[in-house]
């Protein structure tokens, strides 16, 4: 158990819908990351937050947004869903931003868009 | 951006065999992590190893940062070692991890 908690674990929804994925980082971790894993793109970085502020952005679509709340949990919002958004979405956390930090991943949220 | 290449892409072993997985990266790094993704999709940290050698039970890893590669050794493999092994390095001076495509390991009883 990495200590990073993600909900829901599985989600099936229709095209055009909106979903929210939730993440609680490890106790004491201030930095949260979101990654997407799909069959064709592999594991890709989406976005990072540190202590409530956006710190880095990757290949995140405009239909997607995220935030980190004062209690440090984070949510990833996916809207106007398309079939191609079906993927495994990971949240990860680390103590502070910095290249010397190990990043721990949650178990992921499986999203299926039908 | 930085490129990460892993080899081999697929590896099939009999239980008890040893194996070496390789990760090459295109730029100097000061952070490298190895992960194991089990058949249920869970990504598990194996090593944080920017340089040198570390061991954890039957697994060990070596990173030669000056030559831009890392090796993951699995000894006396077990069926529970099956899954995909990823290495990941940061993009430039950021904390964004760039993952290789992984090595899919199948250990047969």
């Amino acid at each position: 158990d990495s200590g990073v908690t993600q909900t829901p674990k599985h989600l099936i929804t229709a095209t055009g819908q909106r979903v929210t994925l939730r993440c609680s980082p490890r106790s004491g971790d201030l930095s949260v990351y979101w990654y997407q894993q799909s069959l064709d793109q592999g594991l890709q970085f989406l976005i990072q937050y540190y202590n409530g502020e956006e710190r880095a952005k990757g290949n995140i679509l405009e239909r997607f947004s995220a935030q980190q709340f004062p209690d440090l949990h984070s949510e990833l919002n996916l809207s106007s869903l398309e079939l191609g958004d079906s993927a495994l979405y990971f949240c990860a956390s680390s103590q502070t931003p910095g290249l010397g930090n190990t990043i721990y991943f949650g178990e992921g949220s499986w999203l299926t868009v039908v | 951006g930085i490129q990460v290449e892993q080899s081999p892409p697929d590896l099939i072993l009999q239980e008890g065999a040893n194996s070496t997985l390789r990760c090459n990266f295109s730029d100097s790094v000061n952070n490298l992590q190895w992960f194991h993704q089990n058949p249920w999709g869970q990504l598990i940290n194996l090593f944080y190893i920017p340089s040198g050698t570390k061991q954890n039970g039957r697994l060990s890893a070596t990173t030669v940062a000056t030559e831009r590669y890392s090796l993951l050794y699995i000894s006396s493999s077990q069926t529970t070692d099956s899954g995909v092994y990823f290495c990941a390095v940061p993009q430039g001076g950021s904390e964004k991890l760039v993952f290789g495509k992984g090595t899919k390991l199948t250990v047969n009883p």
Side-chain angles (χ1 to χ4, degrees), chain A:
Chain A
D1 183 4
S2 67
V4 179
T5 304
Q6 290 187 245
T7 56
K9 287 189 170 29
H10 299 271
L11 191 56
I12 302 174
T13 191
T15 53
Q17 295 298 304
R18 172 190 170 93
V19 298
T20 298
L21 309 181
R22 194 179 192 281
C23 170
S24 295
R26 292 190 323 149
S27 177
D29 284 1
L30 300 178
S31 206
V32 168
Y33 312 77
W34 286 97
Y35 284 81
Q36 179 195 56
Q37 186 178 29
S38 61
L39 280 174
D40 52 345
Q41 297 291 326
L43 266 158
Q44 289 208 305
F45 169 78
L46 293 178
I47 198 163
Q48 177 195 3
Y49 282 83
Y50 171 65
N51 206 18
E53 299 290 326
E54 182 183 304
R55 182 167 173 92
K57 220 168 191 176
N59 300 324
I60 188 166
L61 299 171
E62 286 191 11
R63 300 183 285 108
F64 297 180
S65 64
Q67 55 183 326
Q68 186 180 28
F69 294 88
D71 67 352
L72 300 177
H73 91 271
S74 178
E75 292 181 356
L76 178 67
N77 299 298
L78 315 175
S79 61
S80 303
L81 285 167
E82 302 175 359
L83 296 177
D85 298 327
S86 296
L88 179 54
Y89 291 85
F90 285 106
C91 172
S93 72
S94 65
Q95 284 188 329
T96 57
L99 301 178
N101 284 288
T102 300
I103 297 176
Y104 294 92
F105 282 73
E107 294 187 358
S109 292
W110 289 91
L111 172 66
T112 302
V113 183
V114 298

Side-chain angles (χ1 to χ4, degrees), chain B residues 4-101:
Chain B
V4 181
E5 292 184 1
Q6 292 186 242
S7 59
D10 293 278
L11 188 56
I12 301 174
L13 302 173
Q14 287 300 121
E15 207 166 20
N18 302 328
S19 61
T20 301
L21 283 57
R22 187 175 180 104
C23 172
N24 292 332
F25 39 94
S26 61
D27 206 350
S28 57
V29 298
N30 52 14
N31 181 353
L32 185 144
Q33 291 187 229
W34 282 98
F35 295 89
H36 174 220
Q37 188 168 34
N38 65 24
W40 295 271
Q42 202 173 353
L43 262 179
I44 299 160
N45 290 75
L46 296 177
F47 294 101
Y48 165 76
I49 185 163
S51 63
T53 297
K54 287 188 178 178
Q55 180 150 8
N56 184 3
R58 297 180 295 102
L59 272 60
S60 65
T62 294
T63 296
V64 184
T66 53
E67 296 187 24
R68 300 181 187 172
Y69 73 89
S70 183
L71 302 173
L72 178 69
Y73 306 95
I74 304 174
S75 64
S76 305
S77 57
Q78 301 176 358
T79 56
T80 51
D81 295 331
S82 296
V84 183
Y85 290 81
F86 292 99
C87 72
V89 297
Q91 175 78 53
S94 73
E95 295 94 46
K96 302 182 227 181
L97 285 180
V98 176
F99 283 78
K101 292 189 187 306

